[in-house]
Amino acid sequence: MLTLTNVCTYYGAIQALDQVNVQVNQGEIVTLIGANGAGKTTLLMTVCGSPRASSGSVVFEGKDITQQPTHLIMRNGIALSPEGRRVFPDLTVSENLKMGGFFLSKADIEAGEDHVYELFPRLKERAQQRAGTMSGGEQQMLAIGRALMTQPRLLLLDEPTLGLAPLIIAQIFEIIQTIRDEGVTVFLVEQNANKALQIADRAYVLETGKVIMEDTGQNLLANDEVRKAYLGG
Ligand code: ATP
């Protein structure tokens, strides 16, 4: 579904991704783990075309999107829930969701909102609450819900559990699996490597911009090197 081939991405003179090869197949949860600064966010953002890969290719559903403008990429089957949630704090939950689908028809926005409320009953209860007054976990649900408004086929999730309490983290991981079960392919960046590998079909380990390992989630969980470096021994 998504194939990155020999992707290199730079910020000015700084190389953030070095010859990255990654594949995400339809129906999978694929996770990307790695230390701070390894280039995980850059990889997701490169899929979205901002920053653009300076060499190599990004192909989505058979179409080369390496040079496509970001707004077109995001309208054609890919959605991103960014690191730090970035909800609009002064807008209500309902308004935030509508922003996620601002370019859709009124009917599609309504259908999208209903679908998000089915997935997240908590958001329905709080539809008229200002997003900035919600808890971190609720804001994360909103950020994921907003990304789902476009009915993406591929959902990119950047650190969805960052800074959340264990109980909420468990809920977010359950929701990610539900989203996949509904037919949305998930590419997940996580600091919480242990949990991410448990739900992932396959996973990649990124180190200073390079993919250094790839395997099934289960195999990486059992791998000594991964355990020492990313799972606390
Ligand atoms: P974290 O887990 O801390 O979010 P990450 O693995 O997502 O880290 P990136 O944010 O992709 O890593 O950063 C990869 C490298 O690119 C880092 O060295 C970072 O300093 C650099 N970088 C990221 N964004 C920019 C930018 N806008 N301008 C210059 N350098 C950047």
Side-chain angles (χ1 to χ4, degrees), residues 20-79:
V20 165
N21 291 296
V22 162
Q23 173 130 359
V24 180
N25 301 312
Q26 188 164 0
E28 285 185 318
I29 296 175
V30 174
T31 191
L32 179 65
I33 62 171
N36 286 329
K40 303 180 299 297
T41 296
T42 302
L43 202 159
L44 290 191
M45 296 305 290
T46 300
V47 172
C48 302
S50 175
R52 211 169 279 296
S54 56
S55 60
S57 67
V58 182
V59 173
F60 177 60
E61 296 180 330
K63 189 171 174 193
D64 191 327
I65 60 168
T66 323
Q67 300 301 329
Q68 243 188 30
T70 299
H71 71 277
L72 289 183
I73 295 173
M74 310 313 286
R75 284 180 192 203
N76 288 301
I78 298 180

Side-chain angles (χ1 to χ4, degrees), residues 11 14 16 35-42 83 159 191:
Y11 296 104
I14 298 168
N36 286 329
K40 303 180 299 297
T41 296
T42 302
E83 186 175 359
E159 306 272 12
Q191 290 275 337

Side-chain angles (χ1 to χ4, degrees), residues 126-176:
R126 288 160 189 271
Q128 300 312 320
Q129 185 171 332
R130 281 196 305 123
T133 64
M134 301 211 301
S135 72
E138 289 162 353
Q139 290 189 30
Q140 183 60 56
M141 290 174 194
L142 179 56
I144 296 174
R146 187 179 55 185
L148 290 173
M149 284 292 291
T150 58
Q151 305 205 11
R153 298 182 290 286
L154 174 65
L155 177 64
L156 310 175
L157 290 173
D158 196 353
E159 306 272 12
T161 69
L162 197 67
L164 301 180
L167 202 65
I168 311 293
I169 291 177
Q171 278 177 18
I172 299 287
F173 277 107
E174 264 177 37
I175 286 162
I176 293 170

